[in-house]
Amino acid sequence: MIPEERLTAYALNEVDAPERAEIEAHLAADPDAQKCVEAIRTLGAQLTTSLAIEAEPATITTVAPPRRTWKPAYAVLAASLLIAASVGIYALGQKNEQPKLAANKLPSTNTYEYAPHAGQSRVVREALGDLPRDESTRKHYRKLDSANGSLESKNEKDLALVPPTVITPLVIPPDISKKLAGSTTTAVPGAGPMPTNPFAPAPSSAMGRPPVGAYGGIGGLPPQGKPQSPAARSAIVPSPNVMDPVAGADKSKESSGRGGSRPPLAAGRSYDRFPALVENDFVKVEGQAALSTFGVDVDTASYSIMRKFLRSNQLPPPGAVRLEEMVNYFPYRDAAPSGNDPFAVTVEVAECPWQPKNRLARIGLKAKPINYKNRPASNLVFLIDVSGSMNQANKLPLVKESMKMLVGELGENDRVAMVVYAGASGLVLDSTSAMHKPEILDALDRLQAGGSTNGASGIQLAYDVAVSHFIEGGTNRVILCTDGDWNVGTTSTDALIALIEAKRKTNVFLSVCGFGMGNLRDEMMVNLAGKGNGQYYYIDTAREAHKSFVETLGGTLVTVAKDVKIQVEFNPAKVGAYRLLGYEKRKLAAEDFHNDAKDAGEMGAGHVVTALYELTPPGSDVAAGVDGLRYQQAAKPLAKASDSTEAFVVKLRHKLPESDVSTLREVPVTDSNKPYGEASEDFRFAASVASYAMLLRDSPYKGVSTYGLVAELANAAKSWDPGAYRTEFVKLVEKAKAVSGKP
């Protein structure tokens, strides 16, 4: 048990870092201690407010009614007695294990407001937080609010954007409340209801800078929501889109709307939601069916999600296993492009290891790497979920650590802004030069979790901030960090996709980073990243954060080609049928290949994209001629299937990042009947990962694969292993073998 005097010292920010960590670990497991700390901080804030008002009477004398004099000595005595009583109640509760502390009614929103600046006392200004220095941002939000008619009569110099540091409301004496009654505030459009008490955000600066978040002012402790009746609790069940990772059963869910809290599930069950995924089948090469078209995918989330499940001694649900993301997680040694081409193309065909009678084709795209020192300037907006569901060690704390790694890689030409959202959204940090990293890191450190989740309002604000600081020719990107558990405002995937598609026209791209398990809305995040011209990562460890934000920073920040599409036309004289491995959600109609209005995937600097096709030998006559096909036109002898040595041709289209017109490339491919053992190491390793993904999905196309065979194939193809990611893969295969109980 933590001594009462140390709890008081902690509440007043008077302990060192080691002791703080010890106390916070205790608080996480002790709701009674949490309430005690809340009470102490609230009383301390009230005392600070009262004394500051007493010290500066001239600054709050704009309202006519006279102010009753508060004697500092009385205030100190009352606060001391109340703090002592709170500590006593806590100690009594520890003894009886049934404390009777009254729960504070916490605010349900986290928002920004405009407030008059001139004429306010020092304590009010400090409580409201640091005022932004950037006039362009203030003008931007004044313009937003003016559209709603809320600021038309305001003096621009007297308006300031206020950080979202809402905490437990203070109890303001009636006479002081009357003095504050004339103060008006205006919310950012869509931000939700506004707190009416300008003292609520924080204690004074003497107690340290306040944490930021819906309930940040109470030290990040989770909100104590209203108790639910047994009937209400029994009505909350898992969602029909939630895949049970063990039983595979679908359940229904209704969020409580208060910090994402839900009743406990049976062992092995989860509220994570993964999309149903139907694997591609074999397609006979005849007529227009000889064309296979899809958009590239550089997402890697599926691999780290798989790893997270295995480390919990569970196999991932089939819907979480996207084969192309598993294969594309790894670096490959494909040749880099030369000249002005944004990417190079490598194609290899060899024997299929899980079905030796078939052939396997690997198409590799390698994007142009960049010199880090010469990369374009970055205008980044961190959009961070600080709702209650993020109050776990592998969520918000890992978000902070990840973003700090990214900030550490930024230079003098880069800028960072920070938007948070819970019940509503707010600008925690205006766009700030990376030359001022301590200020950026301090804003990250102050983030705390609490409240419901209104992701759509955060997206709107983040894009607005990014657009207001847009860098022509630079990297303009929103980086969303969330567990995806959105339960307030616009929550449907379709509506959110429509919002992102509209924002994409601003040329601000979106990267989506998933954190934690238990609330993961995987399908929504896949779609948001795809429609936002960005990538989807899942960050399960600090090492994964380092991979995404340090090792492959160029690919994370700098897009070299967008709307990259691949269309493969197969020669029926050489290929009887084909199957595209993965990319089920990226498939396009044949006519979409030439349609520049059709969205597809993006490639970042240094990215490598791999696509695999399993091919069967020809077993039927050549199909009748179809106009427009390379191998099925009798009018062109050179293009006759029987006269050509080509097995297929790979066609690619892409746009430069700021262009709306695509460029076409073609790469004819001949199959030299290479056996599997003579294939390149990259080919063999990619094949082993694909085989592993099919085993995890229990795919009907897995052929003779076993976990033991996959481990053997991968072990023989990892002599080149930067980052030791291939070595880790072999260990995960062995883990899956043990968990599954299969060979």
Side-chain angles (χ1 to χ4, degrees):
M1 175 178 172
I2 303 295
E4 294 91 338
E5 64 271 14
R6 301 318 302 157
L7 283 179
T8 302
Y10 168 79
L12 299 178
N13 289 333
E14 295 176 353
V15 297
D16 56 20
E19 185 176 7
R20 174 175 293 278
E22 178 186 355
I23 293 175
E24 287 177 348
H26 173 72
L27 293 176
D30 192 339
D32 301 326
Q34 294 175 13
K35 293 178 181 179
C36 179
V37 170
E38 292 174 28
I40 294 170
R41 283 184 168 159
T42 299
L43 292 169
Q46 290 177 232
L47 174 60
T48 301
T49 298
S50 300
L51 295 178
I53 292 174
E54 179 68 25
E56 297 190 57
T59 60
I60 320 181
T61 56
T62 56
V63 182
R67 178 169 55 83
R68 182 182 307 166
T69 301
W70 277 52
K71 298 296 184 182
Y74 297 158
V76 171
L77 177 61
S80 300
L81 292 173
L82 287 171
I83 291 175
S86 298
V87 174
I89 293 173
Y90 166 64
L92 181 62
Q94 290 290 318
K95 180 177 179 180
N96 298 332
E97 298 182 354
Q98 294 291 335
K100 300 298 183 181
L101 289 174
N104 289 320
K105 183 179 180 182
L106 299 175
S108 60
T109 60
N110 174 20
T111 187
Y112 259 96
E113 64 186 35
Y114 281 104
H117 182 195
Q120 288 183 333
S121 69
R122 173 181 53 79
V123 68
V124 172
R125 296 196 300 274
E126 288 181 354
L128 291 175
D130 296 334
L131 302 179
R133 299 162 305 287
D134 192 332
E135 178 63 19
S136 65
T137 299
R138 293 201 295 273
K139 288 182 178 179
H140 174 69
Y141 284 99
R142 283 196 289 272
K143 182 178 179 181
L144 287 179
D145 280 354
S146 294
N148 291 347
S150 56
L151 297 178
E152 292 177 354
S153 61
K154 298 290 183 181
N155 183 336
E156 289 190 353
K157 295 181 179 179
D158 292 339
L159 296 173
L161 195 60
V162 179
T165 51
V166 180
I167 65 165
T168 307
L170 303 179
V171 181
I172 303 299
D175 58 335
I176 299 177
S177 295
K178 290 179 181 179
K179 291 182 177 295
L180 299 172
S183 176
T184 60
T185 60
T186 304
V188 171
M194 298 302 306
T196 58
N197 177 8
F199 289 104
S204 75
S205 58
M207 298 174 65
R209 297 190 69 180
V212 177
Y215 305 101
I218 56 174
L221 302 178
Q224 306 297 317
K226 294 181 179 179
Q228 294 176 310
S229 67
R233 288 195 298 270
S234 64
I236 302 176
V237 291
S239 165
N241 293 324
V242 176
M243 180 61 68
D244 184 325
V246 173
D250 291 340
K251 304 294 179 183
S252 63
K253 156 202 152 190
E254 178 180 326
S255 170
S256 69
R258 185 106 178 141
S261 58
R262 301 184 178 91
L265 290 172
R269 296 183 175 238
S270 171
Y271 283 113
D272 298 324
R273 281 170 280 182
F274 299 98
L277 193 64
V278 179
E279 292 183 85
N280 294 324
D281 201 350
F282 279 99
V283 178
K284 187 176 181 180
V285 181
E286 59 180 5
Q288 293 288 342
L291 297 172
S292 173
T293 310
F294 63 96
V296 301
D297 186 8
V298 295
D299 295 347
T300 59
S302 182
Y303 185 87
S304 42
I305 289 172
M306 171 275 299
R307 179 174 59 204
K308 179 74 172 180
F309 273 101
L310 283 179
R311 286 177 174 171
S312 300
N313 293 313
Q314 299 179 54
L315 291 176
V321 181
R322 292 182 288 275
L323 187 149
E324 73 279 7
E325 294 183 26
M326 303 278 281
V327 173
N328 287 328
Y329 181 82
F330 302 92
Y332 297 95
R333 285 182 289 185
D334 294 321
S338 58
N340 294 324
D341 291 332
F343 57 84
V345 185
T346 301
V347 185
E348 187 176 6
V349 185
E351 179 184 19
C352 180
W354 58 84
Q355 197 64 266
K357 70 176 182 179
N358 292 343
R359 309 294 290 166
L360 186 66
R362 175 182 178 266
I363 303 171
L365 277 59
K366 175 67 175 285
K368 179 183 294 185
I370 62 169
N371 184 326
Y372 179 79
K373 294 181 179 179
N374 296 330
R375 66 179 176 81
S378 296
N379 162 37
L380 306 179
V381 179
F382 297 168
L383 174 56
I384 300 177
D385 182 351
V386 293
S387 63
S389 63
M390 293 291 288
N391 193 23
Q392 298 178 26
N394 62 355
K395 293 187 179 180
L396 187 56
L398 186 54
V399 170
K400 295 181 184 181
E401 187 174 359
S402 302
M403 294 299 98
K404 287 179 180 179
M405 291 182 190
L406 174 53
V407 171
E409 297 300 305
L410 301 179
E412 60 182 5
N413 295 323
D414 303 315
R415 302 186 67 83
V416 173
M418 200 176 306
V419 171
V420 298
Y421 66 90
S425 59
L427 184 66
V428 172
L429 180 73
D430 195 8
S431 187
T432 301
S433 169
M435 293 292 288
H436 302 290
K437 290 180 181 178
E439 186 173 348
I440 300 172
L441 298 178
D442 179 62
L444 282 167
D445 283 335
R446 291 191 295 130
L447 299 181
Q448 300 291 342
S452 53
T453 318
N454 189 348
S457 68
I459 289 175
Q460 178 74 48
L461 178 56
Y463 271 97
D464 289 343
V465 174
V467 169
S468 69
H469 296 280
F470 192 88
I471 299 175
E472 292 292 342
T475 295
N476 298 277
R477 186 176 296 272
V478 172
I479 300 177
L480 168 61
C481 300
T482 180
D483 64 358
D485 183 30
W486 295 359
N487 49 39
V488 174
T490 302
T491 59
S492 77
T493 299
D494 289 344
L496 289 168
I497 287 174
L499 173 62
I500 294 299
E501 286 181 324
K503 296 300 181 183
R504 187 176 65 208
K505 298 175 183 177
T506 64
N507 275 332
V508 174
F509 292 178
L510 172 70
S511 291
V512 179
C513 304
F515 289 82
M517 299 295 281
N519 301 299
L520 193 67
R521 288 185 61 183
D522 179 75
E523 182 176 22
M524 180 191 72
M525 292 194 279
V526 168
N527 282 297
L528 292 185
K531 299 302 182 182
N533 285 351
Q535 301 86 40
Y536 169 34
Y537 306 95
Y538 176 75
I539 310 298
D540 59 330
T541 62
R543 182 170 185 261
E544 183 64 24
H546 189 271
K547 178 178 184 291
S548 300
F549 300 119
V550 178
E551 296 174 22
T552 60
L553 180 65
T556 302
L557 295 185
V558 183
T559 299
V560 298
K562 68 179 183 180
D563 293 337
V564 182
K565 305 172 188 175
I566 297 177
Q567 185 172 80
V568 181
E569 181 190 339
F570 294 96
N571 182 348
K574 304 295 182 180
V575 179
Y578 64 87
R579 189 175 89 85
L580 174 61
L581 277 63
Y583 292 94
E584 287 86 359
K585 298 295 186 180
R586 302 281 182 165
K587 291 170 65 177
L588 300 171
E591 57 270 22
D592 290 338
F593 182 69
H594 295 287
N595 181 2
D596 282 351
K598 188 68 176 180
D599 181 56
E602 282 62 49
M603 291 188 68
H607 271 156
V608 177
V609 173
T610 290
L612 298 170
Y613 281 95
E614 185 176 350
L615 314 176
T616 67
S620 59
D621 295 333
V622 177
V626 176
D627 185 46
L629 296 179
R630 182 183 183 93
Y631 306 112
Q632 300 180 50
Q633 291 188 42
K636 296 182 180 180
L638 183 62
K640 284 185 178 179
S642 57
D643 294 341
S644 177
T645 60
E646 298 172 9
F648 55 89
V649 60
V650 179
K651 295 178 284 187
L652 304 105
R653 280 195 174 276
H654 76 275
K655 301 173 188 172
L656 295 178
E658 296 180 356
S659 174
D660 294 324
V661 180
S662 67
T663 300
L664 174 66
R665 300 169 64 181
E666 293 189 0
V667 181
V669 180
T670 299
D671 184 358
S672 60
N673 295 314
K674 184 189 299 183
Y676 177 80
E678 295 181 9
S680 69
E681 191 171 280
D682 279 350
F683 180 100
R684 290 182 282 120
F685 187 79
S688 71
V689 179
S691 183
Y692 173 67
M694 288 188 284
L695 285 171
L696 291 177
R697 293 186 56 81
D698 193 22
S699 168
Y701 306 104
K702 64 182 180 294
V704 299
S705 286
T706 63
Y707 290 111
L709 176 61
V710 168
E712 180 182 343
L713 296 177
N715 252 323
K718 63 179 182 66
S719 65
W720 183 77
D721 190 17
Y725 294 111
R726 296 188 182 190
T727 298
E728 180 196 49
F729 171 73
V730 175
K731 294 178 181 178
L732 290 173
V733 173
E734 296 291 353
K735 178 74 171 180
K737 178 181 177 181
V739 172
S740 69
K742 296 180 179 180

